[in-house]
């Protein structure tokens, strides 16, 4: 990640500020391929690797760029990660090849809030409306779950 202030100064003056050796703010290196675009919460950035690891790092403060936690799913993601903020909580939703849907506490310690076994993998981006999580599985079935509990909910004819 680059420091925007340093890049702006470089663009205006053609050089970095005195005492600054590079515009790079922080960097994360991994030997694993990253799947899909990273997602950001209020203070953390998350991305998934092709072997099924989710990496979460701080984007602000003294720990900027440091890994906050890793969540090991043991199976690659099949859809982009989704971040949801509700009240004072941030949730990270992840679907993987072993037909599981995970809800992870992003703002705290990365603990699993819930997980759901699926009959088919989720292959499209996950959508959240209010407390409802909507997923579409590989067999074209739309399913709805509670964001807070993971319990399945019936989809009405109108939704």
């Amino acid at each position: 990640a680059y420091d925007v202030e340093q890049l702006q100064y470089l663009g205006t003056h053609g050089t970095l500020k005195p005492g600054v050796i590079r515009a790079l703010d922080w960097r994360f290196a991994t030997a694993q391929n990253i799947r899909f675009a990273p997602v950001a919460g209020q203070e953390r950035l998350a991305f998934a690797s092709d072997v099924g690891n989710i990496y979460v790092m701080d984007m602000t403060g003294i720990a900027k760029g440091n890994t906050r936690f890793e969540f090991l799913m043991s199976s690659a993601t099949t859809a982009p990660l989704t971040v949801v903020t509700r009240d004072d909580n941030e949730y990270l939703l992840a679907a993987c090849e072993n037909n599981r849907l995970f809800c992870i506490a992003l703002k705290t310690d990365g603990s699993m809030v819930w997980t759901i076994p699926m009959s088919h993998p989720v292959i499209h981006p996950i959508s959240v409306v209010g407390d409802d999580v909507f997923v579409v599985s590989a067999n074209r079935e739309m399913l709805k779950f509670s964001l807070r509990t993971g319990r399945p909910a019936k989809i009405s004819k109108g939704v």
Side-chain angles (χ1 to χ4, degrees), residues 18-57:
V20 175
I21 58 172
R22 63 179 188 218
L24 185 67
D25 197 21
W26 58 269
R27 158 174 88 161
F28 183 87
T30 178
Q32 302 170 16
N33 291 324
I34 296 173
R35 277 202 148 166
F36 305 108
V39 294
Q42 294 174 348
E43 298 178 355
R44 298 200 175 133
L45 180 76
F47 63 89
S49 73
D50 60 353
V51 298
N53 299 331
I54 293 178
Y55 296 94
V56 176
M57 59 195 57

Side-chain angles (χ1 to χ4, degrees), residues 23 38 85 91 120 133:
T85 302
Y91 303 99
H120 295 86
V133 177

Side-chain angles (χ1 to χ4, degrees), residues 8-21:
Q8 288 172 336
Y9 187 92
L10 177 63
T12 303
H13 302 288
T15 184
L16 291 172
K17 284 183 180 181
V20 175
I21 58 172

Side-chain angles (χ1 to χ4, degrees), residues 78-80 82 93-96 99-101 118-128 132-145 155 159:
T78 56
T82 301
L93 301 172
C96 55
N99 299 352
R100 296 197 75 77
L101 181 64
M118 308 280 293
S119 60
H120 295 86
V122 173
I123 58 168
H124 297 288
I126 301 165
S127 298
V128 181
D132 297 326
V133 177
F134 294 91
V135 297
V136 176
S137 66
N139 68 339
R140 298 186 180 130
E141 183 177 40
M142 183 183 305
L143 304 165
K144 177 175 144 183
F145 303 95
I155 297 179
V159 176

